[in-house]
């Protein structure tokens, strides 16, 4: 089990959570969009939340500003978090608009506030677990979508809650975070999503 746990830190890395959430959203509302629109949305998410951050990470690594994809040092988090905030603003303003994708719009708005809170934490030398923040925010989104669409499917929320625990355990096992940092990550991941969920439930 100790050998398997670290894998979840990579499979459920924060950089992939936006894509997972979008896939889940399009799966749940498959009749609301054409296949062409789904591919277009996924392509935008791929570019903005995965490819751009990866290229930016490679640039930062080549200049010595970061030394690991996990960005373990608090001082190294500021620039990537600023970029993430900018990219989420771009998404909610230009791509995932409220009139067409209301639920997903508020998910990204919550993710934006999570990123802002994480950035504020880094200014105070705090290092919340971004892995736990991302997966717990996704879990709240899935629970809200399950209620909103009256899916009456307890398995998806249960799976995401379980995965949140697994990711937290993975970060602890890798000695990447203390229990306090895990808790802070959980709080900054869930609170924005819980606050925004009332706007679309």
């Amino acid at each position: 089990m100790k050998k398997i746990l670290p894998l979840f830190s990579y499979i459920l890395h924060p950089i992939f959570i936006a894509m997972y959430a979008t896939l889940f959203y399009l799966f749940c509302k498959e009749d609301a969009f054409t296949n062409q629109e789904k591919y277009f949305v996924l392509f935008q998410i791929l570019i903005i939340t995965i490819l751009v951050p990866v290229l930016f990470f490679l640039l930062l690594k080549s200049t010595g500003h970061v030394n690991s994809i996990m960005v373990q040092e608090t001082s190294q988090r500021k620039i990537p978090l600023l970029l993430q905030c900018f990219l989420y603003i771009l998404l909610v303003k230009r791509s995932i608009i409220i009139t067409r994708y209301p639920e997903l719009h508020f998910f990204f708005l919550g993710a934006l506030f999570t990123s802002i809170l994480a950035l504020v934490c880094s200014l105070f030398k705090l290092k919340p677990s971004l892995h736990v923040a991302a997966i717990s925010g996704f879990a709240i989104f899935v629970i809200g979508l399950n209620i909103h669409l009256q899916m009456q499917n307890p398995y998806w929320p249960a799976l995401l809650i379980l995965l949140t625990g697994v990711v937290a355990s993975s970060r602890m096992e890798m000695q990447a975070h203390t229990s306090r940092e895990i808790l802070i990550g959980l709080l900054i991941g869930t609170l924005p999503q819980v606050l925004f969920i009332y706007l679309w439930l």
Side-chain angles (χ1 to χ4, degrees):
M1 191 63 180
K2 287 185 177 183
K3 292 181 179 179
I4 296 173
L5 274 176
L7 290 175
F8 287 92
S9 286
Y10 295 95
I11 297 169
L12 296 172
H13 191 281
I15 202 171
F16 300 128
I17 297 299
M19 180 60 80
Y20 296 154
T22 304
L23 283 167
F24 183 79
Y25 174 74
L26 295 175
F27 170 76
C28 292
K29 298 190 71 173
E30 58 181 343
D31 297 331
F33 312 110
T34 63
N35 285 337
Q36 186 177 3
E37 185 175 5
K38 290 177 187 176
Y39 296 142
F40 183 66
V41 169
L42 289 172
F43 182 71
Q44 289 181 85
I45 300 300
L46 175 66
I47 296 293
I48 295 174
T49 68
I50 298 179
L51 294 184
V52 171
V54 166
L55 291 173
F56 195 71
F57 165 77
L58 292 174
L59 176 63
L60 289 175
K61 189 172 182 181
S62 67
T63 56
H65 286 88
V66 298
N67 52 25
S68 167
I69 195 170
M70 295 300 177
V71 195
Q72 295 180 355
E73 296 296 325
T74 307
S75 59
Q76 296 178 358
R77 289 180 162 211
K78 296 171 187 176
I79 297 175
L81 284 170
L82 277 171
L83 173 70
Q84 188 167 300
C85 289
F86 171 77
L87 293 175
Y88 282 149
I89 290 170
L90 184 65
L91 272 177
V92 298
K93 282 283 189 181
R94 300 293 181 185
S95 301
I96 311 300
I97 55 175
I98 190 171
T99 52
R100 185 59 179 151
Y101 317 99
E103 303 91 348
L104 195 60
H105 174 87
F106 283 113
F107 167 75
F108 280 113
L109 205 55
L112 169 61
F113 275 77
T114 293
S115 300
I116 293 170
L117 289 171
L119 182 58
V120 171
C121 286
S122 70
L123 296 176
F124 288 95
K125 309 294 183 184
L126 294 173
K127 192 182 76 170
S129 172
L130 299 180
H131 283 74
V132 173
I135 191 68
S136 61
F138 182 24
I140 297 297
F141 177 63
V142 168
I143 292 168
L145 209 55
N146 197 53
I147 297 169
H148 181 61
L149 300 179
Q150 298 181 341
M151 293 163 61
Q152 298 179 347
N153 184 344
Y155 300 110
W156 283 113
L159 175 63
L160 265 296
I161 291 170
L162 174 64
L163 288 176
T164 300
V166 170
V167 169
S169 300
S170 172
R171 304 308 289 153
M172 294 284 284
E173 177 62 31
M174 294 176 73
Q175 297 182 342
H177 292 285
T178 64
S179 56
R180 178 173 174 246
E181 291 167 346
I182 295 291
L183 181 59
I184 296 172
L186 184 67
L187 289 174
I188 68 170
T190 56
L191 288 179
Q193 294 295 338
V194 168
L195 290 174
F196 282 115
I197 212 171
Y198 287 104
L199 299 177
W200 57 268
L201 266 186

